[in-house]
Amino acid sequence: MTDEKGLFCGKILADLGADVIQVEKPHGNPARRIPPFCANDAGPEKSLYWFAFSAGKRSVTLDLDTDAGKGVLLRLCKTADFVIESFPVGYLQRAGLGYEVLSRAHPGLIMASITPFGETGPYRDYKAGDLVASAMGGMVYCTGEPDRAPLRISVDQAYCQVSVHAAIGLLLALHDRATSGQGQHVDVSMQASMVRTLHTQLPYWEYSKHIVQRSGARRFRGGAATREIWPCKDGFVSWMFFGGAVGTQQMQTMVKWLESKGMAGSLSGEVDDWATLDLTKVSPDKIRSWERIIGNFFLAHSKKVLYEEALEKRIPLTPVNAISGVAEDEQLAARDFWVDIEHPELGTSIRYPGALFLTGDEASIPTVRRRAPLLGEHNEEVYIGEMGMGTDEFKSLRGTGVI
């Protein structure tokens, strides 16, 4: 029972092999109308967003604003392990469908409630989307160029992070239920989930009251910010400056590489011993002069040439792949990462990211097993075939718009 805030949580569980049923309002989940759309044809059965985050699930429709709909949900929950919901705080309680009510008939039921700020605290009733949660969780402040305003990451982050945390919470509660026999209510906050991503920024503040500033294509380490993303002849590569014992071999090898191409400039002989170099003691102007030399070298070569030669020299350099590069990556292909899923109603198949990880038991490898469901596609299958609803009751509920 989630909108876009929690769709990914159900997707994770479906990939792991769970039977996930998306309970939608009769007019459909709002995420079905989020672009982009397949072939640019807008419609509730064409959303690529819906495809991505609902693949592997089944769909039933149910109007929870009716007494009959509430009764059907209670029957559904009697055989469920998990309920995932992202309604505003208090909505289910006011509807008579809070965790206390749902778990009364099924004490082992585990519910995850996904909300912008959690179900307690002064912000509990505030509304927020991905951008607000990302901003208030600290990520937006850290993203972008140092001399410009903060930026959001282009793809939703808070929704995905909170869904991952919700899935973890559900699985931990399931593990506990194996010994206690009791279910739990898992309360997950989008804001708190984003704070958990700030692994570098939090320690700097905690121990030195230092706010790590935005560094764009650079990476802040100690008192130095050095470039990490570099333009090259046909795109970008990632490579970092290192001083001290860690950087000795790679920097010496990098300088020799530039020398072999006649492009080392002042880097030849300018540093006597990279092992003793403390980058935090090097002036920003000097670092920029070294970056210009190395940057010109990268600009003269393609990603493929730079990557292959760096690999031979054991220099940690990698291409920055666009999605086209990811889709064509030979490593992912070798691991059969991609899965082609048929969409018969569209007359085509769509390629999806597949296995989260590989195991010795091929049948238990988590992967996408079916396309995202059409609206209410499994109503009869679930209500009549599995829940045991009579045909007359089903037709009556469908006729009155409850399902």
Side-chain angles (χ1 to χ4, degrees):
M1 298 188 292
T2 63
D3 57 10
E4 59 269 27
K5 291 190 285 295
L7 285 181
F8 189 45
C9 178
K11 170 70 163 57
I12 292 170
L13 298 177
D15 285 355
L16 290 171
D19 178 16
V20 178
I21 300 173
Q22 185 78 40
V23 179
E24 306 184 57
K25 292 183 178 181
H27 59 265
N29 192 300
R32 289 180 175 274
R33 292 167 175 79
I34 296 177
F37 296 98
C38 184
N40 292 321
D41 182 13
E45 307 294 6
K46 299 288 185 70
S47 167
L48 296 177
Y49 187 98
W50 175 257
F51 291 176
F53 290 109
S54 295
K57 305 176 188 178
R58 297 192 288 170
S59 167
V60 299
T61 52
L62 189 61
D63 185 355
L64 296 181
D65 292 329
T66 65
D67 290 338
K70 294 172 187 176
V72 172
L73 181 67
L74 288 169
R75 290 155 67 184
L76 274 175
C77 289
K78 286 181 180 179
T79 57
D81 289 302
F82 301 142
V83 170
I84 310 166
E85 63 93 8
S86 58
F87 292 109
V89 174
Y91 171 84
L92 287 179
Q93 285 87 342
R94 290 190 296 273
L97 296 170
Y99 179 69
E100 297 77 10
V101 174
L102 296 181
S103 62
R104 195 173 298 151
H106 181 6
L109 183 68
I110 302 167
M111 175 188 279
S113 293
I114 296 172
T115 55
F117 300 101
E119 298 210 336
T120 59
Y123 298 167
R124 66 190 297 271
D125 295 318
Y126 288 6
K127 300 181 186 298
D130 183 86
L131 175 57
V132 173
S134 297
M136 295 189 70
M139 177 179 275
V140 171
Y141 184 86
C142 304
T143 305
E145 297 293 334
D147 57 345
R148 302 185 67 181
L151 297 172
R152 78 181 291 264
I153 296 177
S154 58
V155 178
D156 292 339
Q157 296 297 307
Y159 297 157
C160 289
Q161 290 292 335
V162 77
S163 287
V164 170
H165 284 81
I168 293 170
L170 287 169
L171 293 174
L172 288 172
L174 180 66
H175 179 74
D176 177 77
R177 192 181 74 180
T179 55
S180 70
Q182 294 296 310
Q184 295 185 48
H185 185 195
V186 180
D187 172 8
V188 199
S189 156
M190 286 164 51
Q191 181 194 28
S193 296
M194 294 307 293
V195 174
R196 291 296 299 272
T197 67
L198 307 179
H199 302 300
T200 301
Q201 290 82 358
L202 287 173
Y204 272 106
W205 174 253
E206 183 67 22
Y207 294 107
S208 66
K209 298 305 180 207
H210 176 78
I211 297 176
V212 177
Q213 300 298 311
R214 293 180 296 283
S215 55
R218 300 180 175 278
R219 182 171 181 178
F220 180 86
R221 288 172 295 161
T226 56
R227 178 169 287 277
E228 186 175 31
I229 306 297
W230 306 75
C232 64
K233 198 171 187 178
D234 59 349
F236 296 88
V237 293
S238 176
W239 174 82
M240 288 191 301
F241 264 108
F242 276 104
V246 174
T248 302
Q249 182 175 348
Q250 84 135 330
M251 290 307 304
Q252 289 174 343
T253 306
M254 175 62 81
V255 172
K256 288 180 181 177
W257 189 13
L258 268 65
E259 287 174 340
S260 72
K261 307 288 185 179
M263 301 184 71
S266 63
L267 275 174
S268 291
E270 188 161 341
V271 177
D272 295 326
D273 184 5
W274 288 99
T276 61
L277 178 69
D278 182 352
L279 280 175
T280 65
K281 301 296 196 305
V282 180
S283 73
D285 288 342
K286 178 55 68 178
I287 289 176
R288 299 298 184 273
S289 72
W290 292 344
E291 288 179 343
R292 281 192 293 273
I293 294 170
I294 295 172
N296 288 334
F297 170 70
F298 288 152
L299 283 170
H301 298 83
S302 68
K303 286 189 293 186
K304 186 174 187 294
V305 167
L306 290 170
Y307 172 66
E308 291 177 350
E309 292 196 28
L311 199 61
E312 289 178 4
K313 302 175 190 304
R314 300 183 64 81
I315 293 174
L317 177 149
T318 182
V320 176
N321 282 334
I323 191 61
S324 56
V326 174
E328 297 165 3
D329 186 85
E330 61 181 358
Q331 174 65 18
L332 293 173
R335 288 172 60 85
D336 295 323
F337 178 73
W338 303 105
V339 179
D340 291 323
I341 300 295
E342 292 293 329
H343 285 252
E345 67 287 346
L346 300 178
T348 188
S349 64
I350 296 177
R351 180 161 291 184
Y352 287 76
L356 295 171
F357 50 80
L358 302 181
T359 71
D361 180 7
E362 188 170 329
S364 67
I365 295 175
T367 189
V368 181
R369 292 173 172 80
R370 67 171 93 197
R371 59 147 172 75
L374 304 176
L375 178 60
E377 181 177 358
H378 303 96
N379 278 351
E380 291 190 32
E381 181 177 295
V382 172
Y383 290 138
I384 298 176
E386 298 173 14
M387 200 176 79
M389 181 182 289
T391 303
D392 290 342
E393 182 187 5
F394 178 83
K395 289 181 179 178
S396 173
L397 292 174
R398 186 172 59 185
T400 56
V402 175
I403 60 176

